Amino acid sequence: MAIIQLGQAFENFFAHRTRFPVFRRKGVDDRFTLTNDLVCIEGERIRIPKLGWVRMREALRFTGRIVSATISCVAGNWYVGITVDIPDATSLPSAENQGAVGVDLGVNTLATLSNGEVFTGPKALCTQLNKLRRLDRSLSRKVKGSRNRAKAKLKLARLHARIANLRRESLHQLTTSITRRFHTIGIENLNVKGMLSNRRLARSLADMSFHELRRQLEYKAVWRGGCIVVADRWYPSSKQCSCCGYRLEALDLGVRRWRCPGCSALHDRDINAAINLKKLAVSSTVSACGGDGAGPTRKRGVKLAPVKQESNSRTLVAGMASFCVSLEERTGGDMMT
């Protein structure tokens, strides 16, 4: 595993993604990987070479062949990540038949669904910001290499780990709830990198973690047999009226409600965008069906050919017949076959 990880590190280096690989230092990146022949798990304990049996907080939740186990230290706590090869028959139950849903992401609220549900993000960084600043100032005052600096560094690392765990827990609850209920999910493709260049919104955007939310939705939908439809980056989900389709020329970020000039309907910005994303997801899944059409129809024994192909063939035969007749008239009936 060390040789494989070294090869991956060199690939990242030559692709200009990371720096030149160096040896790990003790206390900086404490982790190592064990292969399947060196790992043994029984109930709530794991056997590690040269350490023996070590107790775990919970038992392994998956049954299958253990491929590898990575043991790492994060903020003074030791974790083990176990890779298990499970059969296809142990997949999660299919999503409930609650139709399609559109998910609009935002800064004030993490996600707004097309059915009116609103999920407020935990805003873990903003709520712990004062404590984070205090511990950061305390760390900067300590002498480098002293034991007090090591203690202050551990306190700061534990706070960062708590913030990350709060954010990750809320994202897992939200994505699990959406993928469990809805089969077709429409989301938007946000330019997060460009949005982070705004110094007034960068901290709030980073605290919401839009990319992690999309990543969890994609792989959890695959587990339950769902479908994720990603709208184009320039799709006007907020500017377009969900009732009549009227599109505004401009819509400021501070405007949360607007009235459609076409049908005089009053829209909430987030709910209107979620409804448009839902319609886009439904239309995309319908147009992706085969030539027989979409929706529940009676199954036929023989698949009918599309009408377009039949009309093209008749037009081609009629055109060839008229061409042969005109050629025969010009040649006086002496036409070679």
Side-chain angles (χ1 to χ4, degrees):
M1 293 302 300
I3 295 176
I4 294 175
Q5 294 174 358
L6 179 62
Q8 295 176 353
F10 272 110
E11 289 181 1
N12 295 330
F13 169 72
F14 289 122
H16 303 285
R17 288 191 293 265
T18 57
R19 297 181 180 180
F20 188 83
V22 295
F23 288 100
R24 295 192 183 121
R25 293 189 301 169
K26 182 179 179 180
V28 177
D29 191 7
D30 296 333
R31 61 186 176 92
F32 58 93
T33 304
L34 303 174
T35 54
N36 55 355
D37 56 342
L38 300 176
V39 179
C40 183
I41 298 177
E42 293 182 359
E44 296 184 359
R45 61 176 188 168
I46 179 174
R47 185 179 182 185
I48 304 174
K50 299 184 180 180
L51 289 181
W53 291 98
V54 180
R55 184 172 58 90
M56 298 188 300
R57 295 296 299 268
E58 61 176 340
L60 187 61
R61 290 174 288 178
F62 302 95
T63 58
R65 185 178 65 88
I66 298 177
V67 179
S68 63
T70 301
I71 302 173
S72 58
C73 180
V74 179
N77 298 323
W78 289 91
Y79 299 90
V80 52
I82 305 172
T83 304
V84 183
D85 185 10
I86 59 177
D88 297 337
T90 58
S91 59
L92 295 178
S94 301
E96 300 177 6
N97 189 13
Q98 296 190 14
V101 68
V103 182
D104 178 70
L105 306 179
V107 178
N108 296 329
T109 58
L110 176 58
T112 303
L113 304 187
S114 57
N115 56 3
E117 297 183 20
V118 178
F119 293 89
T120 304
K123 299 182 180 179
L125 180 60
C126 295
T127 55
Q128 303 289 334
L129 189 59
N130 294 332
K131 188 176 181 180
L132 185 65
R133 288 172 175 171
R134 180 174 57 84
L135 293 180
D136 203 359
R137 287 195 300 266
S138 176
L139 176 63
S140 63
R141 297 190 183 102
K142 300 298 186 293
V143 180
K144 293 185 178 180
S146 61
R147 296 177 63 90
N148 288 334
R149 182 179 176 85
K151 295 178 183 178
K153 184 178 179 181
L154 181 60
K155 289 183 180 179
L156 183 61
R158 286 177 177 174
L159 181 60
H160 277 292
R162 174 176 173 78
I163 293 173
N165 291 334
L166 288 174
R167 184 185 298 114
R168 191 181 301 111
E169 175 67 17
S170 62
L171 292 178
H172 276 294
Q173 291 181 0
L174 172 60
T175 53
T176 301
S177 175
I178 294 176
T179 54
R180 180 184 297 164
R181 294 183 296 163
F182 303 99
H183 182 272
T184 304
I185 305 171
I187 59 177
E188 49 188 347
N189 184 16
L190 297 176
N191 184 16
V192 180
K193 184 177 181 180
M195 297 169 65
L196 289 176
S197 60
N198 188 347
R199 63 184 182 89
R200 299 180 182 273
L201 299 176
R203 180 185 298 161
S204 300
L205 288 172
D207 198 10
M208 290 299 180
S209 187
F210 292 152
H211 177 74
E212 179 65 17
L213 175 62
R214 175 179 171 179
R215 188 188 70 87
Q216 292 184 12
L217 281 176
E218 288 177 349
Y219 78 79
K220 289 183 180 180
V222 173
W223 284 356
R224 295 185 178 272
C227 176
I228 298 292
V229 179
V230 181
D232 186 72
R233 180 167 294 181
W234 306 107
Y235 179 71
S237 58
S238 301
K239 300 179 182 179
Q240 184 174 346
C241 177
S242 58
C243 298
C244 63
Y246 182 85
R247 183 180 301 180
L248 297 177
E249 295 294 335
L251 184 64
D252 296 337
L253 188 60
V255 179
R256 310 312 303 174
R257 291 179 177 271
W258 60 278
R259 187 175 297 276
C260 177
C263 61
S264 301
L266 182 62
H267 295 294
D268 182 86
R269 182 192 184 102
D270 298 334
I271 298 179
N272 177 68
I275 294 175
N276 288 329
L277 292 174
K278 174 186 176 180
K279 292 182 178 179
L280 178 66
V282 172
S283 61
S284 300
T285 53
V286 169
S287 61
C289 297
D292 278 343
T297 56
R298 181 176 58 88
K299 294 184 179 181
R300 301 179 176 88
V302 180
K303 182 178 179 180
L304 299 178
V307 180
K308 185 177 180 180
Q309 296 181 2
E310 186 178 358
S311 60
N312 290 342
S313 60
R314 292 179 178 177
T315 304
L316 180 61
V317 172
M320 289 296 295
S322 60
F323 173 75
C324 293
V325 171
S326 60
L327 185 60
E328 184 177 1
E329 292 177 355
R330 292 182 181 181
T331 57
D334 297 335
M335 184 179 65
M336 298 178 62
T337 58

